[in-house]
Amino acid sequence: MLHPAITKPTLQFLTDLKENNNREWFAEHKGQFKLRETEAKAFFNEVLEKMKTHDEIEKLKVFRIYRDVRFSKNKTPYKFNFSASYTRAGKQRRGGYYLHIQTQGSFIAAGFWAPEKEDLFRIRKEWQIDPSDFREIMSKKAFKDVWGSLAGDELKTAPKGFDKEDPNIDLIRKKQYIFVRNFSDKEVLSANFADTVNASFKVIRPYFDLMSAVLTTNLNGESLLD
């Protein structure tokens, strides 16, 4: 039995949509879009089922192809990717997963890309005190081979209340704490791509476990959960 996968026609549709990003073309190819969307959703669900073997996932969200152009200078009406996020279950499980399919631009990401103000402050205080556990996770070869280095937007200097000369300022000035892995079209089209995505997400788990422990306790190590 064949498992759901991303196929060449889906990447070709996304390429064509990028080159013909207008409502007239999209209306003429609505049927093709529905086929490609169904394929992508099936693939996202295939990854979900694999992830359930090593994590508790509360929700799969598949993002719509339609862009919100109300407050954007870019008025093209459609995204030229299929994407989804996976939300972990329970207050005690922190961190999120993201999967993005795009011709010559597919990637996965994991971590904290829009942390709330309180969470961001708590993370920064943890790194100010002792980031050794985090640095140890990042330095492990098995982790680096999959996820590389910490990514995400950062401040040019220290955030308010922190010393710009702090030895851990490289972590403290981050506004996002995410890891990203890029994929070629060839990798996306391979029969085992869902397994590759799932295995990559499994490798991120030590990071999620550490961050969950940080974000569910105060600086004295006392639980913040009810």
Side-chain angles (χ1 to χ4, degrees), residues 31-96:
Q32 186 182 0
F33 162 68
K34 288 296 184 182
L35 287 174
R36 300 304 118 210
E37 181 186 46
T38 297
E39 178 182 285
K41 286 182 176 179
F43 180 78
F44 294 149
N45 276 286
E46 174 76 359
V47 172
L48 173 62
E49 291 306 309
K50 293 179 181 296
M51 291 174 67
K52 287 180 179 178
T53 64
H54 58 83
D55 203 352
E56 296 289 332
I57 306 300
E58 182 176 82
K59 182 176 67 175
L60 162 63
K61 178 180 179 180
V62 179
F63 294 96
R64 300 173 75 240
I65 199 80
Y66 308 95
R67 294 185 64 251
D68 183 353
V69 300
R70 291 173 299 171
F71 308 106
S72 175
K73 292 181 180 180
N74 179 3
K75 297 301 181 181
T76 52
Y78 308 106
K79 304 171 187 174
F80 41 89
N81 64 73
F82 290 118
S83 60
S85 65
Y86 301 84
T87 302
R88 305 182 76 211
K91 294 180 180 179
Q92 74 277 22
R93 297 183 182 88
R94 304 300 294 271

Side-chain angles (χ1 to χ4, degrees), residues 154-166:
E154 60 182 41
L155 299 170
K156 293 182 179 179
T157 186
K160 185 177 180 180
F162 292 86
D163 185 357
K164 65 180 181 180
E165 302 300 328
D166 190 297

Side-chain angles (χ1 to χ4, degrees), residues 90-123:
K91 294 180 180 179
Q92 74 277 22
R93 297 183 182 88
R94 304 300 294 271
Y97 306 93
Y98 177 76
L99 173 52
H100 185 102
I101 303 298
Q102 177 181 324
T103 309
Q104 298 181 352
S106 297
F107 67 92
I108 57 174
F112 303 81
W113 42 86
E116 296 179 358
K117 182 179 179 181
E118 294 78 11
D119 284 350
L120 183 58
F121 180 76
R122 177 67 181 88
I123 293 169

Side-chain angles (χ1 to χ4, degrees), residues 136-156:
E136 182 180 355
I137 290 171
M138 286 197 303
S139 68
K140 290 186 180 297
K141 185 178 186 302
F143 189 95
K144 291 179 68 175
D145 285 349
V146 173
W147 291 105
S149 302
L150 181 66
D153 294 339
E154 60 182 41
L155 299 170
K156 293 182 179 179

Side-chain angles (χ1 to χ4, degrees), residues 4-23:
I6 301 299
T7 63
K8 286 183 179 180
T10 291
L11 291 187
Q12 186 59 54
F13 173 80
L14 294 174
T15 299
D16 294 342
L17 178 58
K18 182 178 181 180
E19 296 173 353
N20 302 275
N21 203 325
N22 60 77
R23 291 180 176 82

